[in-house]
Amino acid sequence: MSNVFDLDELKLGSNVPVVQGVYDLTPDELLLSQEHYESEVRSYPRRLPLAIARASGVLVEDSRGQLFLDCLAGAGTLAMGYNHPEINQAIIDQLHAGLPYQTLDITTPVKDKFIKEVMNFLPAEFAKNARIQFCGPSGADAVEAAIKLAKQTTGRNTMAAFHGAYHGMTNGTMAMMGNLNTKARRTGLMADVQFLPFPYSLRCPFGLHGEEGAKQSIRYIERMLNDDESGVQKPAAIIVEPVQGEGGVLPAPAFWLRELRRITKEHGILLIFDEIQCGIGKTGFNFAFEEAGITPDVLCLSKAVGGGLPMSLLIFDKEFDTWRPGEHTGTFRGNQLAMATGAKALEIIRRDNLVEHARKAGQYLREGLERIAQKVDCIAEVRGKGLMLGVEICQPDGAKNKFGEPEAAPALTMAIQRAALERGLIIEKGGRQGSVLRFLPPLIISYEQLDFALATLEQAMLVTAGPAKEQAVPAVTADTSDWREHFIHTGKGGADSFETALNHTTRVMKSVFENTDTPYSGLDPQVLKTLINNIDLDTQQMPLDRVIEQTGELIAKNSIMVQHPRCIAHLHTPPLLSSVAAEAFIAALNQSMDSWDQSSAATFVEQKVVDWVCEQYQLGEHADGVFTSGGTQSNLMGLLLARDKAAEAMSGHNIQKQGLPEYAGKMRILCSKKSHFTVQKSASLMGLGEHSVVTVDTNPNGTIKLASLIETVEALKAEGLLPFALVGTAGTTDHGAIDDLDGLAEVAQQHNLWFHVDGAYGGALILSRHKTRLQGIEKADSVSVDFHKLFFQTISCGAVLIKDKANFKFLLHHADYLNREDDLLPNLVDKSIATTKRFDALKVLMTMQSVGPQALGAMYDHLLNQTQQVADMINQSSDFELLADPALSTVLFRYVGSNEEAAIDAINKKLRFDALVKGIAVMGETVVDGKIALKFTILNPCLALSDFESLLQAISQLAAQIERA
């Protein structure tokens, strides 16, 4: 008995085929026998001439011992691949249990378990009122049952289906088929079927593309149903595949499905979703319709729902359960083996997160197919959802049909399919004129196997269709006409390409933002790394529009979205539109802010903004500043000036000319233990070493202890050391704590210390009604400001402000080619450690002109108030523990649930990571009093408290999953 299935024997030796040359596909004895005995109706063996000897997972071995990767998988039936050991064991257990093979519609424990697994796999909203009906073994029987149910429930006889539809090969289902060739010789098919336009961007019946074509389709349907002269009687039901399979892998947009649901409800028409092929995880959702957030009246299932064995189901709202006993029967609706394997398959899919894998692996496959499309001229479109993808093949010479669309290439499609098969890859074709290559691999397919599929398909296309003409790397010549297209030019028409590129980029980014519903896409980081590393920078130059599209698809879509309500980890703010607009000016003008003759107006703009900022901080009439890349550079510059000023004061030593003095090893910088790490980094870069930074204890709220500071200064002096600088923090990175700047200024004055304030985080309070919390900042010798934090500017944008501009002399160096001593116009390089510097001041200028300091200040006030409310929300939750009272806009907390203390740290570390990679939330992580803390950094003034309620609920749900694992 135990040898009914030898599982080890079924495991094939390699994860992917190893093909030397091409496979032999001439008919062997088995294929010749099949041809002799079987009807002419056979179809797959004509395109896939192989006789299967054994199979395992995604691999098939033919009777010649040749190994193939199968991306057809029984036309989508084998979701777990071939001979999955747990599926096989379920069959063995069922056979050993002594139960019948089939039981009509009499129930058994196996049937009961299967029903419950199916119900659990459905969306909860649909399942709560659902009834399940077992049909005959094929999907067509489920659709036939749905037709009968719709007609008897509504009392109407008309059915509506869509162009490109495929619902089966029976009398009723074929009547609703889009393919005219298949039913060309059929007469007497079911009457009263009306066909409606399905969204198809590439070949839109309205001559439109993308969303506009889909909107027109919906308008057509709604207008038809409301037109008393349309000639179309109100149908009993509209049946639709959320992703058309045989029709060419055409996914219906989510909004289109929502609109179809609205229309059918308004007209009392049943909505039937045929998910026989696209259901059970293939699209990256349990069911494809879930993306639209709706439920059907009737759902048709077959193929994968039986775990690889024949099974079909109808699931519908109990309101429409109008059957009388025995009105739709079938002998084999009680297939017990299929119920056992189906239940096991659904269990495995849920347990192993295979739906999520289908989404991520499908994105990986799609990115790979799109890369191939850049190398050949025969791909008109790549489309689909999850692991259900299609590649539409067109004539590589760019020929158009009478509608101006890419000319279909059925012969080339078949040649590519054959060439792929010869190299070990099984793919199907379908769609208009049979010109779409279709991928329906099992959900268990690995990334290694996807790489094989992509490499093989690319090879097959290059062999049959040849490389794209534009892929040939042109010889480098001196013909500048070829180069001009890559630049912006002055004069009439010189910026046309610039306008086109920016408009295209804007459209791409608009689409990215509009279709973003998570702070991160959820693409596995290693997969993303592989996709980016696969970009060829040497020989695959493309037109800029393609590069822009690829950047949007690969990079923008897989970036951390700082605009998303759940991106709340770091000090990255959503940028103001004024700042983003300024970036276009900055990039196009490409000003270098080192000398006036390179920047002209930009020099005056920066000085204007610097003077304005110095006024806001009340640094006095001798104050000045310069723009930097951010807090790190600003802190370095402030401490660099402090060091050189101290050396000059102590001994008249000029570090610029003479290097560090002999007493440099005794020089000390003081800061709190919560100060930013750039203080130590600056000390290291200045040659003083990290040991020169002396950190002082902090109060429980994260502010420096003044008494400890005074003791430390006096102790250092007593040891013969030379404290020369004191760093105060206006907003620590973790707590957001603001030191007593007034008190620090007094200590600095008493001990002749340069007083530097790191205001990168909290400095923006100068515009708010909380500005008194910065009392004392006006006494600082230098201040760091980060405009790309709470001033909502694009990265990077910072400044260092100096109370006495004369101290910039420690940075001054004249170069004859750049900033000559006799220059009458200002050169900003005179006060910067950078030579080339961006025109970032324009962003602040345009923001103050557009938004204004009053509005910005009100935003900060709102954020501080909201932070307190979120902290209170956490404090009142039994799931979370607040670890510190917020000082600015940072909330430090942890998930506790009902866990023991010893387990909480590990749970919170995993919680942050899982939330990130699954696209649930981008949270920060730090340590508070030895405890792992999660961190919300609240920087988006557009959020409501409901956003945080939703976020905390999602975090709790994720934590519960981690606890159960």
Side-chain angles (χ1 to χ4, degrees):
M1 283 285 192
S2 62
N3 292 323
V4 173
F5 293 103
D6 188 339
L7 300 183
D8 290 330
E9 179 65 23
L10 286 168
K11 293 177 182 175
L12 303 181
S14 172
N15 289 327
V16 296
V18 178
V19 185
Q20 303 295 334
V22 295
Y23 283 159
D24 180 5
L25 297 183
T26 57
D28 66 1
E29 184 179 347
L30 285 171
L31 288 167
L32 291 172
S33 177
Q34 180 185 33
E35 183 179 352
H36 177 75
Y37 289 109
E38 280 195 37
S39 164
E40 291 297 317
V41 79
R42 68 190 185 283
S43 60
Y44 288 109
R46 298 181 187 279
R47 302 186 298 277
L48 304 171
L50 54 91
I52 297 176
R54 60 178 187 157
S56 176
V58 190
L59 300 176
V60 168
E61 186 178 306
D62 74 356
S63 53
R64 287 191 168 98
Q66 299 172 143
L67 198 60
F68 298 83
L69 184 80
D70 188 357
C71 284
L72 173 57
T77 301
L78 299 165
M80 296 294 97
Y82 293 92
N83 288 303
H84 190 288
E86 292 182 73
I87 300 290
N88 283 359
Q89 192 61 48
I91 294 173
I92 294 169
D93 293 343
Q94 178 69 12
L95 292 172
H96 289 176
L99 289 168
Y101 300 155
Q102 62 90 13
T103 62
L104 302 175
D105 61 352
I106 300 169
T107 195
T108 67
V110 173
K111 182 175 185 178
D112 186 67
K113 180 182 179 182
F114 173 67
I115 290 172
K116 289 173 180 174
E117 285 286 355
V118 171
M119 290 299 183
N120 286 334
F121 205 71
L122 293 169
E125 182 184 355
F126 187 36
K128 66 183 178 183
N129 291 314
R131 290 291 182 267
I132 190 167
Q133 177 181 351
F134 287 85
C135 305
S138 76
D141 195 60
V143 177
E144 288 282 2
I147 296 168
K148 290 164 66 173
L149 180 64
K151 289 183 176 182
Q152 72 190 27
T153 300
T154 63
R156 298 190 289 270
N157 196 54
T158 300
M159 292 292 295
F162 287 89
H163 302 165
Y166 179 87
H167 301 289
M169 290 292 228
T170 56
N171 189 67
T173 58
M174 186 174 283
M176 300 188 301
M177 176 191 292
N179 190 301
L180 295 174
N181 292 327
T182 306
K183 57 184 183 181
R185 298 194 299 160
R186 310 282 82 77
T187 58
L189 295 176
M190 182 179 72
D192 291 337
V193 177
Q194 299 294 334
F195 284 90
L196 307 172
F198 192 84
Y200 190 176
S201 179
L202 186 67
R203 306 190 187 281
C204 176
F206 306 104
L208 303 171
H209 298 285
E211 190 173 294
E212 291 305 312
K215 286 179 179 177
Q216 192 65 26
S217 165
I218 282 293
R219 185 182 187 280
Y220 175 91
I221 295 167
E222 188 163 24
R223 189 72 185 83
M224 181 194 75
L225 291 172
N226 284 278
D227 185 356
D228 59 359
E229 291 286 340
S230 70
V232 177
Q233 293 182 325
K234 181 185 290 189
I238 295 179
I239 184 168
V240 61
E241 301 156 272
V243 181
Q244 287 190 348
E246 305 297 326
V249 195
L250 296 171
F255 84 88
W256 186 88
L257 289 174
R258 285 193 293 271
E259 285 295 284
L260 192 63
R261 173 71 286 188
R262 173 186 62 80
I263 292 168
T264 53
K265 280 188 174 180
E266 288 177 3
H267 288 271
I269 299 167
L270 296 192
L271 180 60
I272 302 171
F273 282 158
D274 178 346
E275 293 230 11
I276 289 168
Q277 189 169 110
C278 65
I280 317 298
K282 290 187 190 69
T283 63
F285 297 88
N286 284 12
F287 299 98
F289 70 78
E290 290 184 77
E291 183 183 15
I294 58 173
T295 56
D297 297 313
V298 183
L299 177 64
C300 302
L301 297 177
S302 185
K303 292 189 184 289
V305 80
L309 296 183
M311 169 68 67
S312 75
L313 304 174
L314 211 58
I315 303 172
F316 45 82
D317 192 301
K318 64 183 179 182
E319 174 188 353
F320 307 119
D321 191 4
T322 58
W323 293 112
R324 293 173 183 168
E327 276 195 319
H328 191 87
T329 63
T331 302
F332 292 104
R333 55 195 161 133
N335 186 338
Q336 296 296 291
L337 286 176
M339 292 175 188
T341 55
K344 178 56 68 174
L346 293 175
E347 176 191 328
I348 296 168
I349 291 169
R350 184 179 64 254
R351 181 197 70 202
D352 294 349
N353 294 319
L354 291 180
V355 175
E356 183 177 0
H357 174 70
R359 179 172 60 82
K360 292 178 179 179
Q363 186 172 355
Y364 183 87
L365 176 58
R366 182 177 186 139
E367 295 284 357
L369 294 172
E370 288 171 344
R371 283 199 308 277
I372 296 173
Q374 295 158 10
K375 302 177 184 179
V376 297
D377 289 326
C378 65
I379 294 181
E381 189 174 50
V382 176
R383 56 179 179 257
K385 295 284 186 183
L387 282 171
M388 187 175 180
L389 296 174
V391 180
E392 181 147 355
I393 304 301
C394 62
Q395 297 295 348
D397 62 1
K400 305 289 185 182
N401 64 16
K402 65 189 296 184
F403 303 107
E405 304 159 349
E407 185 74 49
L412 177 59
T413 306
M414 188 172 291
I416 295 170
Q417 183 190 33
R418 174 79 178 201
L421 187 67
E422 289 174 337
R423 289 158 178 80
L425 176 65
I426 299 174
I427 48 176
E428 176 58 320
K429 68 181 192 69
R432 267 54 170 198
Q433 299 182 55
S435 291
V436 178
L437 295 171
R438 300 171 54 214
F439 284 81
L440 277 171
L443 303 183
I444 61 169
I445 193 168
S446 70
Y447 290 107
E448 179 188 7
Q449 290 166 334
L450 289 173
D451 284 338
F452 172 84
L454 290 166
T456 305
L457 181 66
E458 180 178 340
Q459 188 179 9
M461 286 186 169
L462 291 173
V463 166
T464 53
K469 296 179 179 61
E470 64 189 34
Q471 295 303 316
V473 180
V476 178
T477 68
D479 184 1
T480 61
S481 61
D482 292 337
W483 303 338
R484 287 181 59 83
E485 65 181 271
H486 302 301
F487 295 90
I488 304 171
H489 305 279
T490 57
K492 186 175 178 59
D496 288 351
S497 296
F498 166 70
E499 179 184 30
T500 300
L502 257 62
N503 285 341
H504 191 184
T505 302
T506 300
R507 289 195 301 273
V508 167
M509 287 305 300
K510 181 175 184 287
S511 175
V512 169
F513 286 128
E514 288 180 346
N515 291 287
T516 291
D517 54 11
T518 58
Y520 173 64
S521 65
L523 183 63
D524 184 275
Q526 290 305 314
V527 174
L528 179 58
K529 177 182 177 182
T530 300
L531 289 171
I532 291 175
N533 286 342
N534 282 339
I535 296 173
D536 186 341
L537 302 179
D538 295 312
T539 61
Q540 288 184 15
Q541 283 65 52
M542 301 174 286
L544 180 56
D545 59 346
R546 284 200 193 177
V547 175
I548 291 169
E549 292 284 351
Q550 183 191 74
T551 302
E553 191 68 29
L554 175 58
I555 297 171
K557 283 186 179 180
N558 295 306
S559 294
I560 301 298
M561 292 293 174
V562 296
Q563 294 84 357
H564 194 277
R566 293 186 178 180
C567 185
I568 201 159
H570 303 291
L571 286 165
H572 296 174
T573 61
L576 291 162
L577 283 173
S578 53
S579 184
V580 175
E583 287 284 5
F585 282 98
I586 294 166
L589 292 171
N590 204 31
Q591 306 287 287
S592 180
M593 301 298 298
D594 26 3
S595 61
W596 189 91
D597 61 1
Q598 296 179 73
S599 55
S600 58
T603 296
F604 297 138
V605 168
E606 178 162 330
Q607 193 61 56
K608 163 75 176 175
V609 173
V610 163
D611 291 344
W612 178 82
V613 178
C614 286
E615 287 175 15
Q616 301 304 308
Y617 287 100
Q618 299 180 349
L619 291 175
E621 60 181 338
H622 299 295
D624 197 2
V626 69
F627 268 68
T628 68
S629 62
T632 298
Q633 186 181 340
S634 296
N635 288 340
L636 172 62
M637 290 182 66
L639 292 173
L640 186 68
L641 295 176
R643 180 200 66 180
D644 289 15
K645 173 84 170 178
E648 182 185 66
M650 289 177 190
S651 62
H653 187 87
N654 187 323
I655 291 179
Q656 276 185 299
K657 305 292 185 185
Q658 301 169 279
L660 292 173
E662 59 182 12
Y663 51 81
K666 295 183 178 182
M667 299 179 78
R668 294 292 182 268
I669 303 167
L670 294 110
C671 64
S672 85
K673 289 184 176 178
K674 298 294 185 181
S675 292
H676 199 263
F677 74 92
T678 53
V679 178
Q680 283 84 353
K681 189 172 184 178
S682 296
S684 173
L685 292 171
M686 292 190 301
L688 301 180
E690 291 188 8
H691 74 277
S692 67
V693 179
V694 179
T695 58
V696 180
D697 287 337
T698 58
N699 298 304
N701 66 359
T703 60
I704 195 169
K705 288 184 176 179
L706 283 179
S708 296
L709 171 64
I710 294 168
E711 290 175 8
T712 303
V713 174
E714 292 174 347
L716 290 173
K717 287 185 174 181
E719 292 178 38
L721 298 174
L722 305 172
F724 71 93
L726 171 62
V727 178
T729 305
T732 57
T733 304
D734 278 347
H735 289 74
I738 299 175
D739 288 333
D740 179 356
L741 302 181
D742 234 354
L744 293 181
E746 186 176 336
V747 172
Q749 186 177 21
Q750 289 174 356
H751 292 276
N752 197 27
L753 306 175
W754 179 286
F755 181 31
H756 175 75
V757 175
D758 178 358
Y761 180 10
L765 290 182
I766 203 69
L767 300 182
S768 89
R769 62 183 177 84
H770 295 274
K771 65 187 297 183
T772 55
R773 296 175 65 182
L774 298 179
Q775 184 68 35
I777 199 169
E778 72 281 357
K779 301 173 184 177
D781 295 291
S782 56
V783 178
S784 294
V785 183
D786 258 14
F787 298 108
H788 57 235
K789 291 188 171 64
L790 276 171
F791 285 85
F792 305 113
Q793 300 302 300
T794 55
I795 294 171
S796 60
C797 189
V800 61
L801 310 176
I802 308 298
K803 192 171 188 66
D804 184 356
K805 68 178 73 176
N807 288 316
F808 272 129
K809 69 181 183 180
F810 298 113
L811 298 177
L812 180 61
H813 182 89
H814 287 291
D816 291 338
Y817 80 96
L818 186 64
N819 58 333
R820 295 150 293 273
E821 288 190 69
D822 58 353
D823 277 349
L824 299 177
L825 293 168
N827 297 311
L828 296 182
V829 74
D830 292 350
K831 50 183 179 178
S832 175
I833 62 173
T835 305
T836 302
K837 192 164 64 68
R838 297 180 83 245
F839 184 19
D840 290 317
L842 181 64
K843 296 184 282 195
V844 181
L845 182 83
M846 289 177 63
T847 293
M848 295 311 159
Q849 289 180 290
S850 172
V851 181
Q854 293 78 20
L856 288 174
M859 292 179 196
Y860 311 149
D861 295 338
H862 166 75
L863 288 174
L864 296 187
N865 179 59
Q866 189 174 71
T867 301
Q868 297 296 329
Q869 292 175 306
V870 173
D872 185 59
M873 188 186 301
I874 289 172
N875 219 9
Q876 294 180 32
S877 170
S878 59
D879 285 342
F880 299 102
E881 177 187 4
L882 187 68
L883 295 177
D885 291 329
L888 275 177
S889 63
T890 302
V891 181
L892 300 171
F893 68 104
R894 64 177 183 165
Y895 176 82
V896 290
S898 57
N899 297 283
E900 298 293 330
E901 183 68 33
I904 292 177
D905 276 359
I907 288 174
N908 280 275
K909 286 184 78 69
K910 184 166 178 55
L911 183 56
R912 183 200 68 83
F913 181 78
D914 284 4
L916 170 64
V917 298
K918 292 181 178 179
I920 294 172
V922 182
M923 300 182 290
E925 179 189 318
T926 187
V927 178
V928 177
D929 296 331
K931 302 171 181 175
I932 297 296
L934 301 176
K935 181 169 66 171
F936 285 173
T937 309
I938 301 175
L939 302 173
N940 188 341
C942 302
L943 302 188
L945 281 178
S946 58
D947 291 311
F948 294 96
E949 291 170 354
S950 170
L951 173 57
L952 289 170
Q953 183 180 8
I955 294 170
S956 291
Q957 291 172 348
L958 179 58
Q961 293 175 16
I962 293 172
E963 288 171 331
R964 289 194 298 268

